[in-house]
């Protein structure tokens, strides 16, 4: 039995699908409030028999603060894919994010100690990478630098990684993946599923960029790492590094919209000043923090050489990935009209 946390998320649902394709029995974690109809609907984008596949999943409600409940969820489980996490760059979510990402991971790993779990894959993020190599790239050796200013999300993912490495040191077979921004179908407007709505509704963008990867690539690589028993290492999983303006141009053109204008550093710094002066009064200004402004104004080159060489893996190009998932997003919007 395989246990997948965050199974209703944009990545978790695809990992579940890929595991089922391989004939695995899957127990999938969800919240009591999770919208399973939305998950089942999104399966149609990935498989020809979505309803049949959906009914093979054993869904279970999970509270990561309930150790006994976690131990029950892990009965007969020998592999865990830990995808559950709170993703936010808004200061108001910091407390919840620290609790969910760090304490939730700690509790899950504690529950694994008294179970039959032999393999554990932890989904981290490229947000934890600092310290460039001699090529000016971020790679698997780019350790987190606590002296630098980071978003609360990056700190929470770094500390959750520390929990995973602790479990690894104590004997659990652990592998950590660090995906870029994941492009997938479904979960529109939430977490990584917010890419298309964001570029669609905003007529402005930023000078920097990000590293992107298709959810299908992340899922396939995750499962291959576990099947090949590759543990005690981390792997960056990105397809390409791309500027926001380039990605936005593709999305807005297909959506019938004009190109977005790039906000200047001067405009962003005005926003930071406004946050300092009026953030207490206007909550929406609080997201314009120093670390967030730096993140959207830079494009770091992140290397995917290690995973490409280890698994001889070829990634889906970002333009192809965007075209596939954006088509699904547009068709879903038409259905709702």
């Amino acid at each position: 039995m395989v246990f997948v946390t965050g199974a209703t998320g944009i990545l978790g649902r695809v990992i579940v699908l890929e595991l089922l394709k391989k004939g695995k029995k899957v127990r999938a974690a969800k919240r009591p409030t999770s919208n399973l109809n939305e998950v089942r609907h999104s399966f149609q984008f990935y498989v020809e028999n979505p309803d049949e596949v959906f009914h093979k999943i054993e869904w279970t409600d999970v509270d990561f603060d309930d150790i006994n409940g976690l131990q029950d969820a892990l009965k007969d489980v020998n592999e865990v894919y830990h995808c559950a996490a709170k993703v936010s760059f808004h200061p108001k979510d910091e407390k919840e994010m620290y609790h969910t990402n760090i304490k939730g991971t700690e509790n899950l790993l504690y529950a694994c100690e008294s179970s039959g779990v032999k393999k554990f894959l932890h989904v981290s993020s490229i947000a934890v990478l600092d310290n460039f190599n001699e090529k000016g790239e971020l790679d698997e050796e780019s350790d987190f630098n606590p002296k630098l200013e980071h978003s609360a999300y990056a700190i929470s993912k770094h500390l959750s990684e520390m929990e995973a490495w602790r479990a690894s040191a104590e004997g659990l077979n652990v592998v950590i993946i660090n995906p870029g921004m994941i492009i997938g179908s479904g979960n529109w407007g939430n977490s990584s599923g917010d890419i298309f709505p964001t570029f669609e509704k905003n007529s402005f963008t930023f000078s920097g960029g990000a590293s992107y990867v298709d959810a299908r690539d992340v899922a396939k690589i995750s499962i291959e790492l576990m099947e090949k028993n590759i543990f005690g290492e981390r792997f960056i999983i990105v397809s390409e590094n791309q500027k926001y303006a380039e990605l936005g141009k593709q999305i807005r053109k297909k959506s019938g919209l004009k190109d977005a204008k790039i906000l200047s550093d001067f405009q962003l710094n005005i926003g930071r000043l406004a946050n300092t002066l009026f953030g207490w009064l206007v909550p929406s200004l609080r997201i314009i923090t120093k670390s967030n402004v730096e993140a959207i104004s830079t494009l770091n080159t992140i290397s995917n050489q290690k995973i490409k060489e280890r698994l001889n893996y070829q990634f889906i190009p970002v333009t192809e990935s965007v075209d596939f998932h954006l088509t699904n997003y547009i068709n879903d919007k038409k259905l709702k009209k």
Side-chain angles (χ1 to χ4, degrees), residues 291-332:
S291 59
N292 285 346
V293 168
E294 288 178 352
I296 61 179
S297 303
T298 56
L299 172 58
N300 294 324
T301 300
I302 300 180
S303 173
N304 61 6
Q305 284 305 113
K306 181 180 178 180
I307 194 67
K308 285 173 70 176
E309 292 173 0
R310 182 68 66 88
L311 300 183
N312 191 27
Y313 195 86
Q314 295 299 314
F315 285 91
I316 300 169
V318 169
T319 53
E320 185 180 322
S321 177
V322 168
D323 188 63
F324 174 79
H325 296 292
L326 180 56
T327 297
N328 296 335
Y329 171 67
I330 291 171
N331 289 338
D332 258 5

Side-chain angles (χ1 to χ4, degrees), residues 7 16 103 153 210 236 246 309:
V16 168
K103 192 64 179 178
Y153 172 68
I236 292 170
E246 293 174 13
E309 292 173 0

Side-chain angles (χ1 to χ4, degrees), residues 15 92 110 112 114 137 153 171 193 197 202 236 243 248 259 282 296:
I15 287 181
K92 70 178 178 64
Y110 179 77
C112 286
S114 56
E137 300 173 335
Y153 172 68
N202 292 319
I236 292 170
K243 284 185 171 291
D259 288 354
V282 185
I296 61 179

Side-chain angles (χ1 to χ4, degrees), residues 208-260:
S211 300
Y212 299 93
V213 64
D214 195 291
R216 294 168 291 178
D217 282 335
V218 184
K220 288 174 182 176
I221 289 171
S222 297
I223 293 169
E224 191 170 348
L225 288 170
M226 292 280 265
E227 287 182 338
K228 292 188 173 179
N229 296 315
I230 299 174
F231 301 113
E233 298 182 63
R234 75 154 88 230
F235 292 88
I236 292 170
I237 306 183
V238 300
S239 173
E240 297 172 50
N241 308 287
Q242 192 171 96
K243 284 185 171 291
Y244 296 122
E246 293 174 13
L247 191 77
K249 185 174 183 178
Q250 182 183 355
I251 293 171
R252 289 179 65 83
K253 183 178 180 180
K254 187 160 184 170
S255 301
L257 301 169
K258 294 180 180 179
D259 288 354

Side-chain angles (χ1 to χ4, degrees), residues 141-158:
E141 303 303 316
S142 300
D143 291 330
F144 184 87
N145 185 348
K147 294 180 180 179
L148 300 177
E149 183 168 343
H150 296 87
S151 66
Y153 172 68
I155 295 169
S156 74
K157 295 304 286 183
H158 166 66

